[in-house]
Amino acid sequence: MDMINATGRRKSAVARVFLTEGTGKITINKRDLTEYFPSPILQYVVKQPLQLLGATEKYDIKVNIDGGGFTGQSQALRLAIARALVKINAEDKKALRAEGFITRDSRVVERKKPGRPKARRRFQFSKR
């Protein structure tokens, strides 16, 4: 198997994943997974598609992440890993879709409108 690449997006975060056969090492922006995402919850989110398919020790993953915050980055990475796993084996798509790992979450921040303090918030109304 050669290198498989895939892209995942969430909010303003973009994750580019390069998957090769290996021992299960995940490198994000030239740093280890536990160093880049110190929170165990975010580490769990990243590993979800691999754990579902029982492939945590099967592939080495090299990742470039840009933009967004840590939650958006972890979810973008989860999508990218799931897409890469589908490229390797198309039969896994059904199981990944059932868990919601294939669906791109398209929710993004609503833009600020003119004449308002935020996107929907209005200034306090004063009768007098």
Side-chain angles (χ1 to χ4, degrees):
M1 178 188 112
D2 54 317
M3 190 176 284
I4 303 288
N5 69 317
T7 306
R9 291 186 185 89
R10 172 75 172 98
K11 293 187 177 183
S12 61
V14 180
R16 289 182 296 280
V17 165
F18 302 94
L19 219 96
T20 53
E21 277 189 35
T23 58
K25 191 165 189 280
I26 301 174
T27 309
I28 305 168
N29 291 352
K30 298 179 183 172
R31 286 158 54 192
D32 189 55
L33 171 70
T34 54
E35 188 185 331
Y36 194 85
F37 291 125
S39 166
I41 295 161
L42 296 178
Q43 292 172 24
Y44 172 75
V45 166
V46 168
K47 292 179 181 176
Q48 275 180 315
L50 295 166
Q51 288 172 344
L52 179 71
L53 302 177
T56 47
E57 307 294 313
K58 223 171 169 183
Y59 303 109
D60 282 345
I61 302 171
K62 189 172 168 266
V63 187
N64 294 326
I65 295 185
D66 186 44
F70 47 85
T71 304
Q73 286 186 349
S74 64
Q75 292 172 3
L77 180 51
R78 178 176 67 182
L79 175 62
I81 290 170
R83 284 179 173 173
L85 291 170
V86 168
K87 282 185 180 180
I88 293 168
N89 186 2
E91 283 97 57
D92 295 336
K93 188 171 184 174
K94 190 170 184 175
L96 290 167
R97 183 170 293 287
E99 292 293 319
F101 301 148
I102 297 293
T103 309
R104 200 281 202 205
D105 193 347
S106 60
R107 295 177 296 171
V108 292
V109 177
E110 189 175 337
R111 78 176 193 89
K112 184 195 172 299
K113 314 299 186 308
R116 299 208 183 149
K118 290 168 71 176
R120 296 189 178 200
R121 175 98 174 90
R122 288 167 169 82
F123 291 108
Q124 185 172 354
F125 175 74
S126 173
K127 197 173 225 178
R128 283 171 198 85

